[in-house]
Amino acid sequence: MTDSIIDAQGLTKRFTVKKKAVEAVTDLTFEVARGELVAFLGPNGAGKSTSLRMLTTLIPPTSGTARVVGFDILRRPADVRARIGYVGQLTSGSFAQRVRDELLSQGTFYGMSKDASRRRADELIESLDLASFAMRSVQQLSGGQKRRLDVALGLMHAPPLLFLDEPSTGLDPQSRANLWQHILDLRAQHGTTVFLTTHYLEEADRYAERVMVMDQGRVIADDTAARLKANLAGDVLTLGFASAEEAGRAVAVVQSLTDREVRREGEASVSVTAPDGDALLPSAVRALDAAGIVVRRATGVPPTLDDVFLALTGRTLREADEGGATPADEPTDQVADDKVGANR
Amino acid sequence: MSSTTDHPAAQANPARDTWHVLTRELKPVLRDPFTLIFSLVQPLVFLGLFAPLLIGQSGVPAGETLQWFVPGVLVMIVLFGTGATGSNLQYEMMTGSHERTLVAPLSRSSLLVGRALKEIAPIIAQSLLIVAIAMPFGFRADPIGLVVGLALLAVFGVGLGALSYTLALATKDREWLFWGVQQTLIFPLMILSGMLLPLDVAPGWMRAVAAVNPLNWVVQAERALLAGELGSMVVLWGWVAALALACVGLWAGVRAIRRSS
Ligand SMILES: Nc1ncnc2c1ncn2[C@@H]1O[C@H](COP(=O)(O)OP(=O)(O)OP(=O)(O)O)[C@@H](O)[C@H]1O
Ligand SMILES: [Mg+2]
């Protein structure tokens, strides 16, 4: 038996929308080791939520299987559910309920004693900064406050495996930092495995040790953020000179140091995208000096995951978001507050 | 499966789960009991504006007319209040809150049964309120009959609530469909229950439809119970109708929630 906490084999999900088949996820195969922190990245409609919903037993795959925390998602869903936490993309709290009540109910749902629920709820209220609205009903919270409650609900029972679907969307920077502090603490204390989706590239970059990129239902890259960037994007170095003539001569000098293509950039600059840019930059300056060419300006810009996505698909994430899914085939998450039937 | 040794199988316990769901559902009601008054608007309108017409038209003393009319209003509470309760679930399905409970290790049936049982609380509270309001105008309820009558309403309400949740689960995010079906059913059911006006003068076909309307049987049983006629045959038929509705409702609801995602 392997020690993987998630083991997905060929997970595929087809929806039928207006008699047409939409393949939301195609042949998803991957493993996640215990304790890993994996970020799942991709534009709107890529299939991230659908993947999570299959792994959390919410929807059955059209084909393929997965074992989550050691249990088959189709044959032993109850065992899977008892051992995972899930923060969905939408609001988890019921609008008629008060914040603290929802946390306590969630504790009892997971078999915690009343005392343990109270202690844990108060801990989370404190650390996720929910105290000022703990006695309000969910209906009366702002978007970010609701999101913090969602996260608190997912953390109530300190599960060994936590799925988070865009946990930081809608949070202010302070709350986002708090959220991450929490996730990191959880890992440090309990070795929790975290599998999350995000649209924030810098977040995946900074915290996740492993990044999976999904596009149009398929995983198109799966590696550490650092390696993805090195292999697919690289640092962009730009060197400026006093004249176009100097820039012209510089191309050959720099090209002798790298196998990546060196380009003329504007009037008197050259640029190159290389994985080892921070080492290449000083040696390029020295070589140019030796050749009698004076470097006037030098910049090195490290790559972002956006560059990785561009290299993989030919589109930036933003373009993919805009051009990808039309609003009509987005799952509904806009529900007007005034339509709430107050729980009678 | 080698992993079963270190992870004991999750123990399903529908009764305990139902209790947890029920107590959660009751929290907003206990926190804010005044919300119960809002769903009383319709029954109160009928009591305040329709009953006087009945009294004036029948020519019998107010107390006597109320004796006939109030039991119907109690059933109306269930019809309007509990019949609409599915919209709460529908709303939770559109936000992510229902989805969250589906990922929790709760038995699917408890999510429905717990909700349906919760309906008992507002039904009892609202019925007692209506009875209290009608008393100064000459309405009298037999105490034992009232207790049995409330129990009958509770069973009937659990069934109707379960059906309302079933409708919500079936219509998913199409609110208009939920309300469309609900409103289309509620008024014919009400009129054909003899709740507002006696059906004695109705044409034969209407009486035939009313005869198979469970609401009609519950209304008649409720009238007999509040008048203290506990041994009447209509009481028995009322219980049969309410229990049948509860069984059908819970069966359909549990089936629907098991398929929900
Ligand atoms: N219940 C459903 N019925 C029909 N189609 C669906 C359903 N859920 C998702 N889809 C479709 O499946 C595809 C993947 O959707 P999914 O929600 O998994 O994307 P996502 O990567 O989570 O996107 P986002 O970043 O916008 O949350 C989309 O084309 C979507 O329209
Ligand atoms: Mg999503």
Side-chain angles (χ1 to χ4, degrees):
Chain A
M1 199 183 118
T2 63
D3 198 35
S4 51
I5 196 160
I6 304 177
D7 180 0
Q9 296 293 332
L11 282 183
T12 298
K13 184 72 193 180
R14 257 188 304 276
F15 291 108
T16 312
V17 183
K18 301 205 175 89
K19 300 212 174 111
K20 274 200 342 221
V22 176
E23 196 150 296
V25 176
T26 306
D27 195 20
L28 179 65
T29 300
F30 70 99
E31 285 185 34
V32 173
R34 251 166 234 285
E36 263 190 300
L37 200 169
V38 183
F40 208 35
L41 227 78
N44 289 146
K48 305 180 296 294
S49 297
T50 305
S51 305
L52 252 59
R53 286 160 55 77
M54 286 192 280
L55 292 169
T56 53
T57 77
L58 277 167
I59 50 172
T62 310
S63 63
T65 58
R67 290 174 72 81
V68 174
V69 284
F71 295 98
D72 190 292
I73 51 168
L74 284 175
R75 277 178 292 162
R76 303 285 293 275
D79 288 293
V80 173
R81 284 181 206 135
R83 293 170 183 83
I84 61 170
Y86 170 66
V87 176
Q89 193 171 350
L90 306 179
T91 303
S92 300
S94 169
F95 280 36
Q97 300 272 352
R98 291 196 188 173
V99 168
R100 191 161 180 276
D101 286 347
E102 275 296 64
L103 289 168
L104 297 178
S105 300
Q106 178 83 341
T108 61
F109 286 177
Y110 282 87
M112 295 166 69
S113 72
K114 279 217 167 88
D115 261 357
S117 294
R118 267 197 287 268
R119 241 177 295 128
R120 180 72 179 146
D122 290 333
E123 218 173 276
L124 288 165
I125 286 172
E126 164 80 33
S127 58
L128 283 169
D129 210 8
L130 315 179
S132 60
F133 50 86
M135 290 304 168
R136 272 197 243 159
S137 69
V138 175
Q139 201 164 5
Q140 298 163 324
L141 306 186
S142 77
Q145 291 170 334
K146 281 192 197 110
R147 202 61 188 142
R148 267 139 70 190
L149 170 63
D150 298 343
V151 172
L153 286 166
L155 297 179
M156 256 315 269
H157 59 297
L161 169 60
L162 188 58
F163 290 96
L164 300 151
D165 201 351
E166 297 188 27
S168 47
T169 300
L171 293 187
D172 60 34
Q174 176 65 42
S175 307
R176 216 194 297 176
N178 272 353
L179 165 66
W180 275 105
Q181 195 51 51
H182 242 280
I183 294 175
L184 299 178
D185 285 352
L186 210 62
R187 292 187 69 206
Q189 282 169 19
H190 306 281
T192 308
T193 311
V194 181
F195 192 85
L196 61 90
T197 75
T198 178
H199 283 281
Y200 294 108
L201 302 158
E202 66 279 11
E203 212 170 67
D205 205 356
R206 181 153 161 210
Y207 299 107
E209 50 218 13
R210 177 171 164 198
V211 176
M212 289 170 66
V213 184
M214 184 172 237
D215 189 34
Q216 296 173 2
R218 289 174 190 274
V219 171
I220 52 173
D222 180 356
D223 212 332
T224 63
R227 271 207 296 273
L228 281 178
K229 289 188 295 189
N231 296 343
L232 290 164
D235 309 294
V236 180
L237 303 188
T238 309
L239 302 165
F241 305 93
S243 68
E245 185 270 322
E246 274 186 326
R249 282 195 291 137
V251 171
V253 177
V254 180
Q255 190 66 77
S256 68
L257 300 171
T258 176
D259 50 8
R260 300 295 170 104
E261 192 204 339
V262 180
R263 304 173 299 266
R264 283 291 291 274
E265 196 74 45
E267 183 64 5
S269 297
V270 304
S271 78
V272 58
T273 305
D276 52 349
D278 41 0
L280 181 62
L281 184 59
S283 55
V285 173
R286 272 198 307 274
L288 288 163
D289 249 356
I293 308 168
V294 181
V295 178
R296 299 290 165 113
R297 290 176 312 280
T299 55
V301 179
T304 63
L305 283 167
D306 215 351
D307 299 321
V308 171
F309 192 78
L310 179 67
L312 284 166
T313 65
R315 295 168 295 154
T316 66
L317 263 177
R318 252 156 228 84
E319 282 166 4
D321 268 359
E322 282 151 19
T326 57
D329 48 44
E330 285 296 294
T332 36
D333 59 358
Q334 67 291 61
V335 180
D337 283 13
D338 53 3
K339 282 192 281 182
V340 189
N343 206 317
R344 55 186 228 109
Chain B
M1 242 182 272
S2 56
S3 53
T4 47
T5 42
D6 45 320
H7 301 297
Q11 290 299 306
N13 187 338
R16 185 199 55 205
D17 292 349
T18 301
W19 174 250
H20 290 326
V21 172
L22 170 65
T23 48
R24 170 177 180 238
E25 291 292 321
L26 282 175
K27 280 176 186 173
V29 183
L30 295 176
R31 291 289 193 193
D32 209 354
F34 286 104
T35 54
L36 293 182
I37 304 217
F38 291 114
S39 53
L40 266 186
V41 169
Q42 239 139 351
L44 281 174
V45 165
F46 277 101
L47 196 60
L49 298 180
F50 194 80
L53 293 180
L54 270 184
I55 293 166
Q57 197 210 31
S58 64
V60 295
E64 213 168 299
T65 310
L66 285 177
Q67 216 60 42
W68 182 86
F69 189 62
V70 171
V73 174
L74 300 190
V75 180
M76 193 189 290
I77 292 172
V78 182
L79 188 62
F80 282 111
T82 311
T85 192
S87 75
N88 292 319
L89 175 60
Q90 189 166 45
Y91 194 73
E92 297 197 355
M93 287 159 66
M94 288 192 282
T95 69
S97 129
H98 178 58
E99 184 176 88
R100 165 171 64 93
T101 58
L102 288 176
V103 184
L106 294 169
S107 76
R108 289 291 190 263
S109 57
S110 71
L111 289 171
L112 187 109
V113 180
R115 279 192 167 86
L117 289 177
K118 161 255 173 184
E119 294 304 321
I120 294 173
I123 288 172
I124 306 271
Q126 292 176 331
S127 299
L128 289 175
L129 193 66
I130 292 285
V131 168
I133 291 172
M135 299 264 276
F137 300 96
F139 173 72
R140 291 291 170 268
D142 176 75
I144 300 173
L146 180 62
V147 172
V148 180
L150 289 179
L152 177 64
L153 285 181
V155 171
F156 175 66
V158 167
L160 195 68
L163 285 176
S164 185
Y165 289 124
T166 309
L167 180 59
L169 288 162
T171 52
K172 293 201 173 127
D173 54 354
R174 289 160 296 181
E175 261 183 300
W176 54 271
L177 191 55
F178 176 86
W179 288 115
V181 174
Q182 201 255 6
Q183 296 290 317
T184 308
L185 289 176
I186 221 163
F187 284 98
L189 278 176
M190 178 170 77
I191 293 165
L192 291 171
S193 71
M195 194 185 281
L196 300 176
L197 292 167
L199 290 169
D200 313 336
V201 293
W205 65 266
M206 269 180 91
R207 271 179 288 150
V209 181
V212 293
N213 179 3
L215 227 62
N216 181 11
W217 294 101
V218 175
V219 171
Q220 291 191 38
E222 211 59 46
R223 278 188 193 128
L225 284 168
L226 297 195
E229 301 155 14
L230 272 72
S232 158
M233 265 314 268
V234 291
V235 173
L236 180 66
W237 286 117
W239 276 101
V240 170
L243 285 167
L245 192 84
C247 289
V248 170
L250 290 173
W251 173 79
V254 167
R255 218 173 104 99
I257 205 153
R258 288 217 168 111
R259 296 172 175 192
S260 139
S261 63

mmCIF file with all atom_site columns, all heavy atoms in Angstrom, chain B residues 71-91:
data_model
loop_
_atom_site.group_PDB
_atom_site.id
_atom_site.type_symbol
_atom_site.label_atom_id
_atom_site.label_alt_id
_atom_site.label_comp_id
_atom_site.label_asym_id
_atom_site.label_entity_id
_atom_site.label_seq_id
_atom_site.pdbx_PDB_ins_code
_atom_site.Cartn_x
_atom_site.Cartn_y
_atom_site.Cartn_z
_atom_site.occupancy
_atom_site.B_iso_or_equiv
_atom_site.pdbx_formal_charge
_atom_site.auth_seq_id
_atom_site.auth_comp_id
_atom_site.auth_asym_id
_atom_site.auth_atom_id
_atom_site.pdbx_PDB_model_num
ATOM 1   N N   . PRO B 1 71 ? -60.732 25.137 13.707 1.00 0.00 ? 71 PRO B N   1
ATOM 2   C CA  . PRO B 1 71 ? -59.958 23.924 13.390 1.00 0.00 ? 71 PRO B CA  1
ATOM 3   C C   . PRO B 1 71 ? -59.402 23.964 11.970 1.00 0.00 ? 71 PRO B C   1
ATOM 4   O O   . PRO B 1 71 ? -58.258 23.534 11.721 1.00 0.00 ? 71 PRO B O   1
ATOM 5   C CB  . PRO B 1 71 ? -60.983 22.796 13.543 1.00 0.00 ? 71 PRO B CB  1
ATOM 6   C CG  . PRO B 1 71 ? -61.974 23.331 14.515 1.00 0.00 ? 71 PRO B CG  1
ATOM 7   C CD  . PRO B 1 71 ? -62.079 24.802 14.220 1.00 0.00 ? 71 PRO B CD  1
ATOM 8   N N   . GLY B 1 72 ? -60.177 24.510 11.038 1.00 0.00 ? 72 GLY B N   1
ATOM 9   C CA  . GLY B 1 72 ? -59.694 24.639 9.663  1.00 0.00 ? 72 GLY B CA  1
ATOM 10  C C   . GLY B 1 72 ? -58.509 25.588 9.574  1.00 0.00 ? 72 GLY B C   1
ATOM 11  O O   . GLY B 1 72 ? -57.569 25.358 8.809  1.00 0.00 ? 72 GLY B O   1
ATOM 12  N N   . VAL B 1 73 ? -58.552 26.665 10.373 1.00 0.00 ? 73 VAL B N   1
ATOM 13  C CA  . VAL B 1 73 ? -57.437 27.617 10.361 1.00 0.00 ? 73 VAL B CA  1
ATOM 14  C C   . VAL B 1 73 ? -56.157 26.943 10.855 1.00 0.00 ? 73 VAL B C   1
ATOM 15  O O   . VAL B 1 73 ? -55.058 27.204 10.346 1.00 0.00 ? 73 VAL B O   1
ATOM 16  C CB  . VAL B 1 73 ? -57.770 28.864 11.209 1.00 0.00 ? 73 VAL B CB  1
ATOM 17  C CG1 . VAL B 1 73 ? -56.559 29.788 11.316 1.00 0.00 ? 73 VAL B CG1 1
ATOM 18  C CG2 . VAL B 1 73 ? -58.939 29.620 10.600 1.00 0.00 ? 73 VAL B CG2 1
ATOM 19  N N   . LEU B 1 74 ? -56.307 26.056 11.834 1.00 0.00 ? 74 LEU B N   1
ATOM 20  C CA  . LEU B 1 74 ? -55.111 25.342 12.322 1.00 0.00 ? 74 LEU B CA  1
ATOM 21  C C   . LEU B 1 74 ? -54.495 24.507 11.198 1.00 0.00 ? 74 LEU B C   1
ATOM 22  O O   . LEU B 1 74 ? -53.278 24.451 11.039 1.00 0.00 ? 74 LEU B O   1
ATOM 23  C CB  . LEU B 1 74 ? -55.460 24.443 13.511 1.00 0.00 ? 74 LEU B CB  1
ATOM 24  C CG  . LEU B 1 74 ? -56.044 25.131 14.743 1.00 0.00 ? 74 LEU B CG  1
ATOM 25  C CD1 . LEU B 1 74 ? -56.106 24.166 15.915 1.00 0.00 ? 74 LEU B CD1 1
ATOM 26  C CD2 . LEU B 1 74 ? -55.216 26.364 15.130 1.00 0.00 ? 74 LEU B CD2 1
ATOM 27  N N   . VAL B 1 75 ? -55.323 23.866 10.412 1.00 0.00 ? 75 VAL B N   1
ATOM 28  C CA  . VAL B 1 75 ? -54.805 23.079 9.287  1.00 0.00 ? 75 VAL B CA  1
ATOM 29  C C   . VAL B 1 75 ? -54.197 24.014 8.240  1.00 0.00 ? 75 VAL B C   1
ATOM 30  O O   . VAL B 1 75 ? -53.198 23.698 7.595  1.00 0.00 ? 75 VAL B O   1
ATOM 31  C CB  . VAL B 1 75 ? -55.908 22.197 8.675  1.00 0.00 ? 75 VAL B CB  1
ATOM 32  C CG1 . VAL B 1 75 ? -55.367 21.391 7.506  1.00 0.00 ? 75 VAL B CG1 1
ATOM 33  C CG2 . VAL B 1 75 ? -56.491 21.267 9.730  1.00 0.00 ? 75 VAL B CG2 1
ATOM 34  N N   . MET B 1 76 ? -54.802 25.203 8.135  1.00 0.00 ? 76 MET B N   1
ATOM 35  C CA  . MET B 1 76 ? -54.282 26.195 7.184  1.00 0.00 ? 76 MET B CA  1
ATOM 36  C C   . MET B 1 76 ? -52.859 26.628 7.550  1.00 0.00 ? 76 MET B C   1
ATOM 37  O O   . MET B 1 76 ? -52.021 26.857 6.674  1.00 0.00 ? 76 MET B O   1
ATOM 38  C CB  . MET B 1 76 ? -55.215 27.412 7.182  1.00 0.00 ? 76 MET B CB  1
ATOM 39  C CG  . MET B 1 76 ? -54.984 28.374 6.046  1.00 0.00 ? 76 MET B CG  1
ATOM 40  S SD  . MET B 1 76 ? -55.926 29.872 6.295  1.00 0.00 ? 76 MET B SD  1
ATOM 41  C CE  . MET B 1 76 ? -57.584 29.296 6.045  1.00 0.00 ? 76 MET B CE  1
ATOM 42  N N   . ILE B 1 77 ? -52.587 26.725 8.840  1.00 0.00 ? 77 ILE B N   1
ATOM 43  C CA  . ILE B 1 77 ? -51.228 27.073 9.297  1.00 0.00 ? 77 ILE B CA  1
ATOM 44  C C   . ILE B 1 77 ? -50.224 26.094 8.707  1.00 0.00 ? 77 ILE B C   1
ATOM 45  O O   . ILE B 1 77 ? -49.174 26.467 8.201  1.00 0.00 ? 77 ILE B O   1
ATOM 46  C CB  . ILE B 1 77 ? -51.147 26.977 10.842 1.00 0.00 ? 77 ILE B CB  1
ATOM 47  C CG1 . ILE B 1 77 ? -51.978 28.068 11.486 1.00 0.00 ? 77 ILE B CG1 1
ATOM 48  C CG2 . ILE B 1 77 ? -49.705 27.058 11.305 1.00 0.00 ? 77 ILE B CG2 1
ATOM 49  C CD1 . ILE B 1 77 ? -52.079 27.886 12.991 1.00 0.00 ? 77 ILE B CD1 1
ATOM 50  N N   . VAL B 1 78 ? -50.582 24.826 8.785  1.00 0.00 ? 78 VAL B N   1
ATOM 51  C CA  . VAL B 1 78 ? -49.687 23.793 8.274  1.00 0.00 ? 78 VAL B CA  1
ATOM 52  C C   . VAL B 1 78 ? -49.574 23.931 6.757  1.00 0.00 ? 78 VAL B C   1
ATOM 53  O O   . VAL B 1 78 ? -48.484 23.883 6.190  1.00 0.00 ? 78 VAL B O   1
ATOM 54  C CB  . VAL B 1 78 ? -50.212 22.392 8.647  1.00 0.00 ? 78 VAL B CB  1
ATOM 55  C CG1 . VAL B 1 78 ? -49.264 21.318 8.160  1.00 0.00 ? 78 VAL B CG1 1
ATOM 56  C CG2 . VAL B 1 78 ? -50.420 22.292 10.152 1.00 0.00 ? 78 VAL B CG2 1
ATOM 57  N N   . LEU B 1 79 ? -50.698 24.156 6.128  1.00 0.00 ? 79 LEU B N   1
ATOM 58  C CA  . LEU B 1 79 ? -50.701 24.223 4.668  1.00 0.00 ? 79 LEU B CA  1
ATOM 59  C C   . LEU B 1 79 ? -49.820 25.367 4.153  1.00 0.00 ? 79 LEU B C   1
ATOM 60  O O   . LEU B 1 79 ? -48.987 25.170 3.273  1.00 0.00 ? 79 LEU B O   1
ATOM 61  C CB  . LEU B 1 79 ? -52.145 24.397 4.177  1.00 0.00 ? 79 LEU B CB  1
ATOM 62  C CG  . LEU B 1 79 ? -52.351 24.306 2.674  1.00 0.00 ? 79 LEU B CG  1
ATOM 63  C CD1 . LEU B 1 79 ? -51.949 22.946 2.154  1.00 0.00 ? 79 LEU B CD1 1
ATOM 64  C CD2 . LEU B 1 79 ? -53.815 24.587 2.333  1.00 0.00 ? 79 LEU B CD2 1
ATOM 65  N N   . PHE B 1 80 ? -49.997 26.557 4.732  1.00 0.00 ? 80 PHE B N   1
ATOM 66  C CA  . PHE B 1 80 ? -49.240 27.708 4.241  1.00 0.00 ? 80 PHE B CA  1
ATOM 67  C C   . PHE B 1 80 ? -47.812 27.732 4.760  1.00 0.00 ? 80 PHE B C   1
ATOM 68  O O   . PHE B 1 80 ? -46.880 28.035 4.013  1.00 0.00 ? 80 PHE B O   1
ATOM 69  C CB  . PHE B 1 80 ? -49.947 29.019 4.603  1.00 0.00 ? 80 PHE B CB  1
ATOM 70  C CG  . PHE B 1 80 ? -51.111 29.311 3.711  1.00 0.00 ? 80 PHE B CG  1
ATOM 71  C CD1 . PHE B 1 80 ? -52.410 29.252 4.200  1.00 0.00 ? 80 PHE B CD1 1
ATOM 72  C CD2 . PHE B 1 80 ? -50.912 29.631 2.376  1.00 0.00 ? 80 PHE B CD2 1
ATOM 73  C CE1 . PHE B 1 80 ? -53.484 29.521 3.373  1.00 0.00 ? 80 PHE B CE1 1
ATOM 74  C CE2 . PHE B 1 80 ? -51.985 29.895 1.551  1.00 0.00 ? 80 PHE B CE2 1
ATOM 75  C CZ  . PHE B 1 80 ? -53.276 29.831 2.043  1.00 0.00 ? 80 PHE B CZ  1
ATOM 76  N N   . GLY B 1 81 ? -47.644 27.439 6.041  1.00 0.00 ? 81 GLY B N   1
ATOM 77  C CA  . GLY B 1 81 ? -46.307 27.518 6.632  1.00 0.00 ? 81 GLY B CA  1
ATOM 78  C C   . GLY B 1 81 ? -45.445 26.352 6.215  1.00 0.00 ? 81 GLY B C   1
ATOM 79  O O   . GLY B 1 81 ? -44.436 26.501 5.522  1.00 0.00 ? 81 GLY B O   1
ATOM 80  N N   . THR B 1 82 ? -45.850 25.171 6.605  1.00 0.00 ? 82 THR B N   1
ATOM 81  C CA  . THR B 1 82 ? -45.056 23.977 6.343  1.00 0.00 ? 82 THR B CA  1
ATOM 82  C C   . THR B 1 82 ? -44.977 23.676 4.855  1.00 0.00 ? 82 THR B C   1
ATOM 83  O O   . THR B 1 82 ? -43.958 23.200 4.365  1.00 0.00 ? 82 THR B O   1
ATOM 84  C CB  . THR B 1 82 ? -45.672 22.784 7.095  1.00 0.00 ? 82 THR B CB  1
ATOM 85  O OG1 . THR B 1 82 ? -45.889 23.194 8.440  1.00 0.00 ? 82 THR B OG1 1
ATOM 86  C CG2 . THR B 1 82 ? -44.770 21.592 7.071  1.00 0.00 ? 82 THR B CG2 1
ATOM 87  N N   . GLY B 1 83 ? -46.054 23.994 4.143  1.00 0.00 ? 83 GLY B N   1
ATOM 88  C CA  . GLY B 1 83 ? -46.048 23.726 2.708  1.00 0.00 ? 83 GLY B CA  1
ATOM 89  C C   . GLY B 1 83 ? -44.986 24.530 1.971  1.00 0.00 ? 83 GLY B C   1
ATOM 90  O O   . GLY B 1 83 ? -44.576 24.162 0.872  1.00 0.00 ? 83 GLY B O   1
ATOM 91  N N   . ALA B 1 84 ? -44.540 25.638 2.574  1.00 0.00 ? 84 ALA B N   1
ATOM 92  C CA  . ALA B 1 84 ? -43.555 26.496 1.906  1.00 0.00 ? 84 ALA B CA  1
ATOM 93  C C   . ALA B 1 84 ? -42.142 26.243 2.412  1.00 0.00 ? 84 ALA B C   1
ATOM 94  O O   . ALA B 1 84 ? -41.191 26.824 1.912  1.00 0.00 ? 84 ALA B O   1
ATOM 95  C CB  . ALA B 1 84 ? -43.919 27.961 2.121  1.00 0.00 ? 84 ALA B CB  1
ATOM 96  N N   . THR B 1 85 ? -41.996 25.373 3.388  1.00 0.00 ? 85 THR B N   1
ATOM 97  C CA  . THR B 1 85 ? -40.699 25.242 4.057  1.00 0.00 ? 85 THR B CA  1
ATOM 98  C C   . THR B 1 85 ? -39.605 24.728 3.132  1.00 0.00 ? 85 THR B C   1
ATOM 99  O O   . THR B 1 85 ? -38.420 24.950 3.369  1.00 0.00 ? 85 THR B O   1
ATOM 100 C CB  . THR B 1 85 ? -40.835 24.343 5.307  1.00 0.00 ? 85 THR B CB  1
ATOM 101 O OG1 . THR B 1 85 ? -39.648 24.475 6.064  1.00 0.00 ? 85 THR B OG1 1
ATOM 102 C CG2 . THR B 1 85 ? -41.049 22.885 4.935  1.00 0.00 ? 85 THR B CG2 1
ATOM 103 N N   . GLY B 1 86 ? -39.991 24.058 2.060  1.00 0.00 ? 86 GLY B N   1
ATOM 104 C CA  . GLY B 1 86 ? -39.002 23.574 1.101  1.00 0.00 ? 86 GLY B CA  1
ATOM 105 C C   . GLY B 1 86 ? -38.154 24.693 0.531  1.00 0.00 ? 86 GLY B C   1
ATOM 106 O O   . GLY B 1 86 ? -37.009 24.476 0.143  1.00 0.00 ? 86 GLY B O   1
ATOM 107 N N   . SER B 1 87 ? -38.712 25.907 0.502  1.00 0.00 ? 87 SER B N   1
ATOM 108 C CA  . SER B 1 87 ? -37.943 27.014 -0.068 1.00 0.00 ? 87 SER B CA  1
ATOM 109 C C   . SER B 1 87 ? -36.697 27.300 0.764  1.00 0.00 ? 87 SER B C   1
ATOM 110 O O   . SER B 1 87 ? -35.701 27.767 0.245  1.00 0.00 ? 87 SER B O   1
ATOM 111 C CB  . SER B 1 87 ? -38.809 28.264 -0.191 1.00 0.00 ? 87 SER B CB  1
ATOM 112 O OG  . SER B 1 87 ? -38.988 28.845 1.066  1.00 0.00 ? 87 SER B OG  1
ATOM 113 N N   . ASN B 1 88 ? -36.753 27.023 2.064  1.00 0.00 ? 88 ASN B N   1
ATOM 114 C CA  . ASN B 1 88 ? -35.543 27.190 2.885  1.00 0.00 ? 88 ASN B CA  1
ATOM 115 C C   . ASN B 1 88 ? -34.443 26.249 2.407  1.00 0.00 ? 88 ASN B C   1
ATOM 116 O O   . ASN B 1 88 ? -33.288 26.640 2.290  1.00 0.00 ? 88 ASN B O   1
ATOM 117 C CB  . ASN B 1 88 ? -35.849 26.894 4.361  1.00 0.00 ? 88 ASN B CB  1
ATOM 118 C CG  . ASN B 1 88 ? -36.767 27.935 4.962  1.00 0.00 ? 88 ASN B CG  1
ATOM 119 O OD1 . ASN B 1 88 ? -36.630 29.120 4.704  1.00 0.00 ? 88 ASN B OD1 1
ATOM 120 N ND2 . ASN B 1 88 ? -37.732 27.481 5.750  1.00 0.00 ? 88 ASN B ND2 1
ATOM 121 N N   . LEU B 1 89 ? -34.812 25.016 2.148  1.00 0.00 ? 89 LEU B N   1
ATOM 122 C CA  . LEU B 1 89 ? -33.832 24.045 1.662  1.00 0.00 ? 89 LEU B CA  1
ATOM 123 C C   . LEU B 1 89 ? -33.343 24.440 0.268  1.00 0.00 ? 89 LEU B C   1
ATOM 124 O O   . LEU B 1 89 ? -32.162 24.359 -0.046 1.00 0.00 ? 89 LEU B O   1
ATOM 125 C CB  . LEU B 1 89 ? -34.436 22.637 1.630  1.00 0.00 ? 89 LEU B CB  1
ATOM 126 C CG  . LEU B 1 89 ? -33.552 21.548 1.017  1.00 0.00 ? 89 LEU B CG  1
ATOM 127 C CD1 . LEU B 1 89 ? -32.239 21.409 1.783  1.00 0.00 ? 89 LEU B CD1 1
ATOM 128 C CD2 . LEU B 1 89 ? -34.277 20.211 0.982  1.00 0.00 ? 89 LEU B CD2 1
ATOM 129 N N   . GLN B 1 90 ? -34.289 24.891 -0.556 1.00 0.00 ? 90 GLN B N   1
ATOM 130 C CA  . GLN B 1 90 ? -33.912 25.287 -1.910 1.00 0.00 ? 90 GLN B CA  1
ATOM 131 C C   . GLN B 1 90 ? -32.873 26.404 -1.860 1.00 0.00 ? 90 GLN B C   1
ATOM 132 O O   . GLN B 1 90 ? -31.900 26.401 -2.610 1.00 0.00 ? 90 GLN B O   1
ATOM 133 C CB  . GLN B 1 90 ? -35.149 25.759 -2.669 1.00 0.00 ? 90 GLN B CB  1
ATOM 134 C CG  . GLN B 1 90 ? -34.867 25.967 -4.140 1.00 0.00 ? 90 GLN B CG  1
ATOM 135 C CD  . GLN B 1 90 ? -36.139 26.104 -4.931 1.00 0.00 ? 90 GLN B CD  1
ATOM 136 O OE1 . GLN B 1 90 ? -37.044 26.823 -4.523 1.00 0.00 ? 90 GLN B OE1 1
ATOM 137 N NE2 . GLN B 1 90 ? -36.227 25.417 -6.039 1.00 0.00 ? 90 GLN B NE2 1
ATOM 138 N N   . TYR B 1 91 ? -33.094 27.326 -0.941 1.00 0.00 ? 91 TYR B N   1
ATOM 139 C CA  . TYR B 1 91 ? -32.139 28.423 -0.811 1.00 0.00 ? 91 TYR B CA  1
ATOM 140 C C   . TYR B 1 91 ? -30.780 27.895 -0.367 1.00 0.00 ? 91 TYR B C   1
ATOM 141 O O   . TYR B 1 91 ? -29.736 28.322 -0.859 1.00 0.00 ? 91 TYR B O   1
ATOM 142 C CB  . TYR B 1 91 ? -32.675 29.462 0.177  1.00 0.00 ? 91 TYR B CB  1
ATOM 143 C CG  . TYR B 1 91 ? -31.908 30.728 0.097  1.00 0.00 ? 91 TYR B CG  1
ATOM 144 C CD1 . TYR B 1 91 ? -32.062 31.579 -0.996 1.00 0.00 ? 91 TYR B CD1 1
ATOM 145 C CD2 . TYR B 1 91 ? -30.976 31.061 1.066  1.00 0.00 ? 91 TYR B CD2 1
ATOM 146 C CE1 . TYR B 1 91 ? -31.323 32.727 -1.101 1.00 0.00 ? 91 TYR B CE1 1
ATOM 147 C CE2 . TYR B 1 91 ? -30.236 32.214 0.974  1.00 0.00 ? 91 TYR B CE2 1
ATOM 148 C CZ  . TYR B 1 91 ? -30.409 33.046 -0.113 1.00 0.00 ? 91 TYR B CZ  1
ATOM 149 O OH  . TYR B 1 91 ? -29.667 34.178 -0.228 1.00 0.00 ? 91 TYR B OH  1
#
